């Protein structure tokens, strides 16, 4: 679900009177990196904000032509929490306002222990549209049954590019904001003998918040599956 708002923004376009009418759209996604014995499960809520001119002939004058991503919520579940309790906590979060009304996309790590946790989502109303993401060492993203297979390098490099461009904004007031920034700084790129790049956290460091954020951003960067597009029949 997208939220649309019609507003006016200041512009220095010579043919406009200092203001331009735009529609600002917000789409939401939740990324979930399933923890293991020494890593907590991490959750990131992300909003993708796009701005378009109401008059398509004025799109060249759009003062905000590039999408941006904002992170209003970060959370780590208690280390050692049983997986059924984690699924209950995630469902409860998605069932509360404002997420209940926003119907965000839900992207879940489907790698390793993430697969049986994802399978627990079956039959949960708030989690029925969740997509599983297998994080791989490959070179391109591909579709599979419940979701996607995505190279880890693609996930992390997308975040780094958005940060460098100033198009990823993480609220400094979030309790885990500093932890997330440290995780991003701890990520390293290494090259194999064949020249392939691999991304991984520094030895001994965590990457759960980074991956939760990357999953949500990935979900917002992909079109909705055709099965999720609502159809409206016109009466004649």
């Amino acid at each position: 679900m997208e939220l649309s708002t019609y507003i006016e923004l200041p512009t220095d376009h010579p043919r406009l009177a200092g203001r331009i009418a735009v529609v600002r759209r917000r789409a939401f996604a939740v990324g979930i990196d399933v923890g293991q014995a020494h890593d907590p499960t991490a959750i990131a809520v992300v909003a993708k904000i796009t701005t378009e001119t109401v008059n398509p002939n004025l799109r060249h004058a759009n003062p905000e032509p590039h999408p941006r991503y904002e992170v209003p919520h970060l959370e780590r579940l208690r280390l050692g929490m049983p997986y059924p309790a984690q699924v209950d906590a995630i469902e409860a979060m998605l069932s509360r306002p404002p997420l209940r009304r926003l119907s965000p996309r839900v992207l879940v790590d489907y790698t390793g222990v993430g697969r049986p946790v994802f399978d627990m989502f079956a039959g949960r109303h708030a989690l029925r549209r969740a997509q599983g993401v297998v994080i791989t060492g490959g070179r391109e993203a591909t579709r599979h049954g419940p979701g996607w297979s995505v190279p880890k390098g693609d996930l992390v490099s997308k975040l780094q590019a958005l940060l460098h461009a100033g198009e990823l904004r993480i609220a400094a007031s979030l309790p885990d904001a500093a932890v997330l920034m440290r995780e991003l700084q701890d990520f390293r790129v290494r090259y194999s003998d064949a020249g392939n790049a691999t991304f991984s956290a520094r030895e001994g460091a965590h990457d759960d918040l980074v991956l939760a954020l990357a999953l949500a951003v990935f979900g917002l960067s992909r079109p909705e599956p055709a099965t999720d597009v609502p159809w409206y029949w016109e009466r004649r």
Side-chain angles (χ1 to χ4, degrees):
M1 175 182 176
E2 285 188 343
L3 298 181
S4 299
T5 307
Y6 290 84
I7 59 174
E8 289 188 345
L9 294 177
T11 180
D12 56 4
H13 192 279
R15 295 186 178 180
L16 299 173
R19 312 288 291 181
I20 186 170
V22 301
V23 56
R24 181 173 286 165
R25 295 185 173 90
R26 294 175 182 262
F28 294 83
V30 177
I32 303 167
D33 179 60
V34 180
Q36 302 186 40
H38 303 291
D39 296 295
T41 290
I43 303 168
V45 179
V46 179
K48 179 182 180 181
I49 302 166
T50 55
T51 303
E52 299 174 359
T53 57
V54 173
N55 184 343
N57 294 323
L58 295 176
R59 63 169 59 93
H60 63 281
N62 187 351
E64 298 178 358
H66 302 293
R68 72 175 188 270
Y69 297 80
E70 294 183 351
V71 185
H73 181 78
L74 293 169
E75 182 177 350
R76 279 172 155 174
L77 299 182
R78 175 175 54 81
L79 188 63
M81 178 185 288
Y83 287 129
Q86 293 188 32
V87 174
D88 290 342
I90 294 167
E91 182 183 33
M93 181 188 74
L94 293 172
S95 300
R96 292 192 299 267
L99 291 180
R100 180 179 62 188
R101 178 172 60 91
L102 297 173
S103 298
R105 303 182 190 185
V106 179
L107 288 297
V108 184
D109 174 19
Y110 196 64
T111 314
V113 298
R115 186 165 302 194
V117 175
F118 180 85
D119 291 341
M120 293 181 193
F121 288 2
R124 303 292 187 103
H125 181 76
L127 299 169
R128 68 192 184 282
R129 294 177 60 200
Q131 291 185 300
V133 178
V134 178
I135 301 174
T136 73
R139 295 192 173 188
E140 60 183 35
T142 58
R143 288 300 305 263
H144 66 79
W148 296 87
S149 293
V150 186
K152 192 173 189 178
D154 283 6
L155 293 173
V156 178
S157 59
K158 173 73 171 178
L159 292 186
Q160 293 174 334
L162 289 172
L163 274 173
H164 292 157
E167 294 167 1
L168 176 61
R169 302 179 184 180
I170 302 164
S173 59
L174 294 176
D176 285 319
V179 178
L180 172 59
M181 295 306 297
R182 188 162 60 247
E183 286 187 9
L184 282 166
Q185 293 166 0
D186 282 338
F187 252 88
R188 301 288 186 267
V189 58
R190 296 178 177 83
Y191 293 91
S192 68
D193 294 338
N196 297 322
T198 60
F199 290 78
S200 60
R202 178 177 50 81
E203 186 175 355
H206 296 288
D207 61 5
D208 46 289
L209 285 171
V210 166
L211 292 180
L213 175 58
L215 289 171
V217 169
F218 172 80
L220 289 168
S221 303
R222 295 282 169 170
E224 286 273 21
T227 54
D228 291 338
V229 176
W231 288 83
Y232 300 96
W233 297 94
E234 181 181 356
R235 291 185 176 180
R236 295 183 179 274

